[in-house]
Every structure is written in structure tokens, then in C-alpha cells.
Amino acid sequence: MAPSFSIQFIETALFCTTPFALSYADPNQKWLIRKHLLKLLQNYPDFNLSNDTFIHNDGTTVNLLNVSGYLNVSESSPSIHLTIWLHEDYPSMAPMVFITSNSINPIRQNHPFVTPCGVIITPYLQTWSYPGCNLSDLVHNLVKIFSCDHPFSYSSESSFTHPSLASKREAVDRLSGMLHYDVAAFQAKTSEEIEELSVVQDEMKERAGVIRNIGSELEHERKRLKERATELAEKADVLMNWLKVNNDPKAIGVILGDEIEEAFEATDEKSKVMLYGLAADEAIEDAIYALDKALVQGVVSFDIYIRQVRILAREQFFCRVQHPQIDEGSGYTH
């Protein structure tokens, strides 16, 4: 039986009519609260009664009874300080239950039934229904739950394999805890996969940019080659017209597929000089190009490269001075 001073405190607090009266209006409700509190104190005599102001999440302020005490769920685990506030519509509404933690015993992260701020959200409270639920059974349910999964961070693992988990209520608690940890593991794995996919997505975006640049360069090269082909076709037309005007039988042979060298045989001294100068200029250009490649590939040193280029440039200069008909840079004659 509950101590007489506890009975007196409950009756005085519930039936007081002063301005400090509690927020329980219905007389039948008050007697039910008295009954439930006495049963709770009978089963857990170390709990203490009190009344104080409670502020709901919506800012509503009410004067409520509360009961607090320590739960010892096992010899090897720390005690759990519990505070139970009786809602102004109790027992129709579930009580508000909180855990008090400290720096020595902080609430473990990702606990299935306790939020980081200490609010308890068990299936028993979420499915609260009077007359099937009461304070004494609530505390008993919390002892069962916390003996399997302690809310403080002293333990690295939680298990829902306690042999006493046999009732329907305890089976629901066990299933809720297992689902909570399964969902947490799935979310962690999903987050990891999302992060990996984000990295892959960034790489794909980077590669897509590279491919776009390559495509743009290829398109530019295609246009340039098309313009070059058009230019060469125009020059071929000019050459064909020249060959037709001069009526050179060797040129006709070129058109018909005969040997090319015979079509460009010099017929007079001036043509021979000009052809020789053009050939010399092209030969020097080819030599300089070959030296450029050799320098890039590391076949020749930079000193040798500079020395040979200077000699070839000097020869090309004198060649072009002697043959002004050569168009510098292109190798074509005016």
C-alpha cells in the first residue's frame, strides 16, 4: 500500500480549489488519477510525487501532477531517472514521459524509443487506450524495454533477444526496436550509396564536358577540312584550266592517270630555274619540319636543332632572294 503522506498529497493536489488548482476538471477523472497513482506507488515505492507547470509544444501552459524516480533495469547498467507527467485529459490521453540524462550518462544516439532530448516514444504510449493502459503497466513496460535496449551510451550493442519477451505487447516492442535498427542500417547504407553515386555523377559530368569539348574540336576540324577541300578543289580547277589552255599532252596524260612527274617537266631555262628554286624551298621546309619532330621526340638536342635551323633558314632566305617568284610560306609560284 502507498504511504499515507502520498495519499494525502494526491488528494490535496487533486481536490484543491485555490488559484493553484491543477488542470484536471472532471471529478471522475480525478478519482481515476488517484487510483492509478496509488497503484504505481505501491509497485514502485521509490517514486516521488510533485505538481508543477507544464508547457505543451503549442505553448499552452497547464498545472499537472508528475511522478519521478529511478529505474534499475539491471545490476550492470546505470539507473534511469524517469519523469511521468499526467496529461490534463488523462487517462484518455497518454502521459508525457521523459528521461533525464547527464554528461556521464548521455542518451545513446539513434535509440528506437528515446529521442535525443529525452522524450520517450514507445509503442505502449503511441497506442495508449484507456482502460487497457495505466501508469503501473507503463513503467513495467519501460523496464522490459530498457533491460533489452538501455537508453544510455554505456553499451555498444543492443539486443531484443530477452527470454521474457513473450507477451503481445513485448513482441510489438521487440519488433519496433528491430525495425528501427534495420531502417537505420538501411538509411546509412542508402546514404553511402547516394554519396558514391554522387561521386560517379560528378565524374560523368566531367567526362561529358570533355566529350563535348572533343566533339566541338572535331566539328571545328571537320569544317576546317571541308574548307580546305573546297580550296584544293578550286585550285585543282585552276590547274585543270591552265592545262587545257596550254594544251600540254603530258598534262593530258596526268588527267588520264599517267605518270605525274612527266607532266611537270620544265620546257625552258626559266621554268627549270623556277622549278629548281621551288623544289629547294620545299626541301628546306621538309628538313625544318623533320627537325621539329626530332626535337619534340628528343632525338636531337636543342643546340643542334637551333644550329641546323639557322643554316637551313639562311639557305632558304638566299633561295627566295634568288627566286622571288616563290610565294613565302606556301611554296606556290605566282
Side-chain angles (χ1 to χ4, degrees):
M1 185 174 179
S4 58
F5 65 87
S6 297
I7 299 175
Q8 183 178 0
F9 177 86
I10 294 172
E11 293 179 351
T12 302
L14 286 173
F15 298 100
C16 176
T17 58
T18 65
F20 301 102
L22 301 179
S23 300
Y24 309 107
D26 188 357
N28 294 328
Q29 175 195 21
K30 294 179 180 181
W31 284 108
L32 283 173
I33 292 175
R34 177 183 182 276
K35 176 182 177 182
H36 287 188
L37 284 175
L38 292 178
K39 183 180 180 181
L40 174 65
L41 294 175
Q42 182 178 355
N43 294 329
Y44 300 94
D46 293 334
F47 277 28
N48 298 315
L49 286 165
S50 179
N51 64 288
D52 205 344
T53 301
F54 185 88
I55 302 176
H56 288 289
N57 293 334
D58 60 0
T60 304
T61 301
V62 288
N63 294 324
L64 303 178
L65 281 171
N66 69 77
V67 57
S68 62
Y70 285 92
L71 292 181
N72 296 310
V73 296
S74 69
E75 295 180 358
S76 60
S77 61
S79 300
I80 304 169
H81 185 266
L82 197 70
T83 302
I84 304 174
W85 290 83
L86 274 63
H87 195 279
E88 61 267 26
D89 294 325
Y90 182 89
S92 299
M93 294 294 293
M96 294 78 71
V97 189
F98 301 89
I99 285 178
T100 304
S101 61
N102 51 49
S103 59
I104 300 177
N105 296 313
I107 297 173
R108 194 177 74 250
Q109 294 295 323
N110 198 33
H111 193 280
F113 304 121
V114 183
T115 66
C117 59
V119 180
I120 296 179
I121 45 173
T122 63
Y124 190 95
L125 289 169
Q126 293 176 326
T127 59
W128 179 278
S129 177
Y130 178 77
C133 299
N134 57 71
L135 296 176
S136 183
D137 290 345
L138 168 63
V139 176
H140 178 73
N141 177 254
L142 292 177
V143 172
K144 290 287 186 180
I145 289 177
F146 293 150
S147 65
C148 299
D149 194 354
H150 202 280
F152 295 151
S153 57
Y154 82 98
S155 176
S156 59
E157 296 183 357
S158 298
S159 173
F160 282 92
T161 58
H162 197 280
S164 65
L165 294 176
S167 69
K168 180 179 178 180
R169 171 62 60 187
E170 291 164 347
V172 170
D173 295 335
R174 175 181 180 180
L175 179 61
S176 299
M178 294 174 64
L179 287 175
H180 174 84
Y181 287 115
D182 288 343
V183 170
F186 177 76
Q187 289 177 341
K189 184 177 180 181
T190 302
S191 299
E192 183 179 353
E193 291 177 352
I194 290 175
E195 185 175 355
E196 293 176 354
L197 290 175
S198 298
V199 173
V200 173
Q201 184 181 27
D202 293 338
E203 292 179 356
M204 295 299 293
K205 287 181 179 180
E206 184 177 353
R207 293 181 182 180
V210 173
I211 292 173
R212 283 195 297 269
N213 293 334
I214 294 175
S216 178
E217 292 176 0
L218 290 176
E219 179 65 20
H220 179 72
E221 182 68 13
R222 186 188 69 82
K223 292 181 179 179
R224 190 185 68 79
L225 291 175
K226 185 177 180 180
E227 293 174 356
R228 181 62 176 165
T230 303
E231 181 183 350
L232 292 176
E234 292 175 353
K235 290 183 178 181
D237 291 339
V238 172
L239 181 59
M240 290 292 294
N241 292 332
W242 183 87
L243 293 174
K244 290 178 180 179
V245 170
N246 288 272
N247 196 21
D248 190 342
K250 292 184 178 180
I252 296 174
V254 173
I255 297 173
L256 297 176
D258 296 338
E259 294 186 6
I260 297 176
E261 293 181 357
E262 296 179 357
F264 294 94
E265 207 173 295
T267 56
D268 53 27
E269 190 64 27
K270 182 178 180 180
S271 297
K272 289 181 180 180
V273 172
M274 185 171 63
L275 187 61
Y276 171 79
L278 179 60
D281 185 76
E282 291 292 343
I284 293 172
E285 287 287 342
D286 291 342
I288 294 176
Y289 177 73
L291 283 171
D292 288 339
K293 291 184 64 177
L295 177 64
V296 173
Q297 296 174 0
V299 177
V300 299
S301 65
F302 183 75
D303 294 339
I304 296 175
Y305 169 78
I306 290 295
R307 185 166 58 253
Q308 293 298 326
V309 168
R310 286 179 178 175
I311 294 171
L312 292 173
R314 186 183 302 110
E315 291 180 5
Q316 188 178 44
F317 172 76
F318 287 116
C319 179
R320 291 186 178 183
V321 170
Q322 293 173 2
H323 307 286
Q325 299 89 350
I326 299 174
D327 184 13
E328 295 183 4
S330 64
Y332 294 105
T333 59
H334 293 290

